[in-house]
Amino acid sequence: MVLFSVTKKATTPFDGQKPGTSGLRKKVTVFQQPHYLQNFVQSTFNALPADKVKGATIVVSGDGRYFSKDAVQIITKMAAANGVRRVWVGQNSLMSTPAVSAVIRERIAADGSKATGAFILTASHNPGGPTEDFGIKYNMENGGPAPESVTDKIFSNTKTITEYLIAEDLPDVDISVVGVTSFSGPEGPFDVDVFDSTIDYIKLMKTIFDFESIKKLLSSPKFTFCYDALHGVAGNYAKRIFVEELGADESSLLNCVPKEDFGGGHPDPNLTYAKELVERMGLGKSSSNVGPPEFGAAADGDADRNMILGKRFFVTPSDSVAIIAANAVQSIPYFASGLKGVARSMPTSAALDVVAKNLNLKFFEVPTGWKFFGNLMDAGMCSICGEESFGTGSDHIREKDGIWAVLAWLSILAFKNKDNLGGDKLVTVEDIVHQHWGTYGRHYYTRYDYENVDAGAAKELMANLVNMQSSLSDVNKLIKEIRSDVSDVVAADEFEYKDPVDSSVSKHQGIRYLFGDGSRLVFRLSGTGSVGATIRVYIEQYEKDSSKTGRDSQDALSPLVDVALKLSKIQEYTGRSAPTVIT
């Protein structure tokens, strides 16, 4: 057995190691600086209770982006030096963010041990490669992201750190081979367990969904299917689940080989970046595909986000979570006994609110960040939740889950078509969405992203929007000058959330302008970019009249878009005449 020793390395703090909504994200070149990653990892160990480090089991894995394999070895050596008993690593360092959550919650080692947390190496939907983004975040024993009390402590530690512990003489572990490698150090044995992370995840999915009914749907000659992993970690799971378990044809998988640079693409599942899938589904500008598949879906780099498409039809994430919630009890065995409650992030459209009201369900509106949903789930108050940024999930884990969302939609389609698989025409994704609008009304919705804008200008823009809220009469006068056909603003605020579970308060969570007809404008700075700032503008209009729910979304929202851009003076502050992305 290889023996290792512990070295104390002197270091000095780096500025700006503040974890955002999903951990610390910077350019790879920043993380490659001597001591940079090590400082953050040691600051995290120092922020955790001693029993969650000494003698503990932790998971270290991620989406496989560039620098992941180096980072796994560094963190493993630091874990050994800090007294961790064992590290679990996904084969080739690949483990989707939802699978990490599942492994923390479900996996039991041969000796009965369970994980107390995880370092997840991902920058989610951001590009990967030597000059692109890398990220790291810590998830807790419940499988969810570290709460603000912990991330604040980590950040505080990064500002005062003077040394870190590392086992420099611990050899690199071959993470391409499944198996346990054992070492011995000053505090006793230390193991690195490399395993196939798809096994635990598939086992969990089979306890939630009726795989047989989905298999029948996929075997119907009338049903065609396409899944695009955008060369992210989801590809590792797609073949195992959709092809081997559910019988889909392998040709239905697009870009399902994980790559360190995501094939040079942007692994963000939206209409802008999932170009190949969008074309195949008949939604591209130059699309001439006469027979697109009935159902299409995409994932982001770490497989926690999803995009759902029908034939020539896009399902907004806000509609998606509402439709899953409305159909879950009858379509998904896991929810057969009813939903405990539902929740959405504040910028997400109010489509879920209407479902909750109609079905008499508990409803919660939370800040952006999955950790807020996790608190509700741990307290048994929420079953299904979602956010407009292509994240959907349930209380089976404590992260959003892209493949779960796809299986949920396939379950709904299977249920709607269970007596119809031999019929002339299947119930389609578009049919299901139109039926939903007929019952609950439609929330026309769009999001404009202005990426990598000057951070100072972005803050000035937001400050001006807050200042304007002191006089709604002046705001309404301005609006009428921009568009006379837009309703008056009846309330405006900066969203603040008091957690009903632990009473913690989260301030400055986005700026809201609420209109008399139920429309909303929301402005928010995103915490997921690695440079500059991203301004997100959310524009929503509710339509109850079923004769008016079939309009083109951009046409229906055009008056509010005018108001949002001119009221915020976004071009004046940022110099941008158009958004980077529209979803």
Side-chain angles (χ1 to χ4, degrees):
M1 186 182 288
V2 176
L3 299 172
F4 65 86
S5 55
V6 174
T7 305
K8 283 185 180 177
K9 300 281 281 189
T11 190
T12 53
F14 289 88
D15 287 337
Q17 287 195 321
K18 182 176 174 63
T21 52
S22 297
L24 180 68
R25 293 181 188 170
K26 303 285 182 184
K27 291 295 178 189
V28 166
T29 49
V30 173
F31 273 99
Q32 287 174 322
Q33 296 174 92
H35 313 306
Y36 189 91
L37 173 64
Q38 291 88 334
N39 278 19
F40 187 80
V41 171
Q42 189 64 57
S43 296
T44 303
F45 280 136
N46 294 348
L48 297 170
D51 65 330
K52 304 301 179 195
V53 181
K54 301 274 185 190
T57 298
I58 65 166
V59 183
V60 183
S61 279
D63 60 16
R65 67 180 52 237
Y66 187 85
F67 190 60
S68 293
K69 287 174 181 171
D70 294 338
V72 166
Q73 303 294 348
I74 291 166
I75 297 167
T76 298
K77 291 172 186 184
M78 292 186 68
N82 278 275
V84 169
R85 172 64 183 82
R86 64 183 64 74
V87 170
W88 290 347
V89 181
Q91 189 176 13
N92 295 312
S93 80
L94 293 173
M95 200 181 306
S96 73
T97 294
V100 172
S101 187
V103 162
I104 295 171
R105 294 172 65 82
E106 305 287 337
R107 188 172 196 252
I108 301 170
D111 64 355
S113 58
K114 289 193 75 176
T116 58
F119 285 100
I120 306 181
L121 310 175
T122 179
S124 189
H125 54 293
N126 294 11
T131 60
E132 296 295 351
D133 294 351
F134 187 76
I136 180 170
K137 69 172 185 168
Y138 193 80
N139 275 33
M140 306 297 283
E141 200 164 12
N142 72 341
E148 285 180 327
S149 58
V150 174
T151 55
D152 286 348
K153 202 179 286 185
I154 294 169
F155 180 46
S156 177
N157 290 345
T158 68
K159 293 189 282 189
T160 58
I161 189 168
T162 57
E163 65 180 22
Y164 62 83
L165 305 180
I166 190 164
E168 288 185 307
D169 55 358
L170 187 81
D172 283 359
V173 173
D174 185 351
I175 57 174
S176 69
V177 179
V178 169
V180 179
T181 310
S182 298
F183 305 96
S184 187
E187 297 192 41
F190 172 72
D191 295 335
V192 180
D193 181 356
V194 179
F195 67 104
D196 177 354
S197 70
T198 64
I199 294 168
D200 296 278
Y201 183 77
I202 292 168
K203 188 175 162 190
L204 179 60
M205 291 301 106
K206 285 183 167 180
T207 68
I208 298 170
F209 300 105
D210 181 349
F211 270 43
E212 280 308 307
S213 73
I214 299 173
K215 200 170 180 176
K216 281 179 191 166
L217 175 72
L218 291 180
S219 68
S220 168
K222 292 188 186 64
F223 188 81
T224 41
F225 165 85
C226 185
Y227 184 80
D228 188 349
L230 294 173
H231 288 302
V233 71
N236 220 29
Y237 300 81
K239 186 176 178 186
R240 292 289 305 276
I241 292 173
F242 299 125
V243 176
E244 294 175 19
E245 294 286 344
L246 295 172
D249 197 283
E250 200 157 347
S251 64
S252 60
L253 302 185
L254 278 178
N255 305 314
C256 279
V257 177
K259 294 186 178 179
E260 288 190 330
D261 66 349
F262 306 109
H266 194 137
D268 197 352
N270 59 41
L271 295 172
T272 301
Y273 294 123
K275 293 184 181 76
E276 198 174 340
L277 177 69
V278 167
E279 288 290 331
R280 190 180 282 202
M281 296 304 297
L283 285 164
K285 286 173 185 170
S286 60
S287 185
S288 59
N289 194 338
V290 289
E294 288 295 329
F295 180 84
D300 68 338
D302 64 331
D304 63 348
R305 297 183 186 215
N306 72 94
M307 175 170 69
I308 303 296
L309 301 173
K311 183 187 289 188
R312 302 186 186 91
F313 191 83
F314 168 62
V315 184
T316 71
S318 297
D319 277 344
S320 181
V321 66
I323 289 165
I324 292 171
N327 290 279
V329 172
Q330 59 189 9
S331 304
I332 302 169
Y334 181 82
F335 300 114
S337 59
L339 302 180
K340 298 163 190 166
V342 294
R344 64 165 173 85
S345 65
M346 182 275 284
T348 302
S349 95
L352 186 62
D353 313 33
V354 181
V355 171
K357 189 176 180 183
N358 274 265
L359 300 182
N360 199 25
L361 296 170
K362 282 183 192 167
F363 168 78
F364 304 92
E365 181 181 31
V366 307
T368 297
W370 211 260
K371 53 197 168 192
F372 298 105
F373 295 130
N375 255 14
L376 297 171
M377 289 172 176
D378 285 344
M381 297 161 75
C382 177
S383 295
I384 289 173
C385 55
E387 53 189 22
E388 49 68 40
S389 52
F390 296 86
T392 328
S394 90
D395 60 352
H396 66 291
I397 55 171
R398 296 297 179 267
E399 287 279 5
K400 47 187 173 265
D401 190 344
I403 287 178
W404 173 92
V406 174
L407 291 170
W409 265 94
L410 289 173
S411 297
I412 293 166
L413 283 160
F415 177 80
K416 298 277 188 187
N417 286 292
K418 69 179 190 295
D419 301 320
N420 191 37
L421 291 176
D424 292 336
K425 186 181 178 297
L426 295 180
V427 176
T428 66
V429 170
E430 186 172 358
D431 292 336
I432 289 168
V433 175
H434 283 291
Q435 285 166 11
H436 185 88
W437 291 342
T439 304
Y440 299 102
R442 179 177 181 182
H443 292 258
Y444 287 102
Y445 185 88
T446 191
R447 184 181 98 193
Y448 281 30
D449 287 8
Y450 296 80
E451 295 177 354
N452 296 331
V453 303
D454 178 79
K459 283 176 184 166
E460 283 178 31
L461 179 149
M462 299 296 278
N464 182 54
L465 284 166
V466 171
N467 291 338
M468 287 169 65
Q469 293 181 343
S470 61
S471 174
L472 291 190
S473 59
D474 288 349
V475 167
N476 284 321
K477 190 179 169 191
L478 262 174
I479 288 171
K480 286 293 179 269
E481 287 171 7
I482 299 164
R483 290 292 297 234
S484 59
D485 54 346
V486 167
S487 177
D488 279 352
V489 171
V490 292
D493 63 7
E494 202 170 0
F495 182 58
E496 185 174 295
Y497 177 68
K498 184 176 181 182
D499 195 302
V501 180
D502 62 16
S503 297
S504 62
V505 176
S506 300
K507 298 183 177 183
H508 310 297
Q509 294 297 318
I511 295 160
R512 302 190 294 182
Y513 284 81
L514 311 176
F515 294 76
D517 63 354
S519 301
R520 292 193 315 161
L521 293 180
V522 175
F523 301 85
R524 198 178 139 263
L525 291 182
S526 170
T528 59
S530 67
V531 292
T534 294
I535 300 169
R536 289 190 167 148
V537 184
Y538 309 85
I539 301 152
E540 172 185 358
Q541 181 160 344
Y542 180 48
E543 181 56 72
K544 282 187 286 193
D545 184 343
S546 59
S547 69
K548 295 179 182 174
T549 57
R551 296 177 67 195
D552 175 79
S553 184
Q554 293 300 328
D555 287 348
L557 290 166
S558 178
L560 273 177
V561 169
D562 278 356
V563 168
L565 303 186
K566 288 170 184 167
L567 191 68
S568 63
K569 299 181 180 173
I570 202 156
Q571 184 168 353
E572 195 175 304
Y573 279 103
T574 67
R576 303 284 181 87
S577 59
T580 317
V581 179
I582 299 176
T583 50

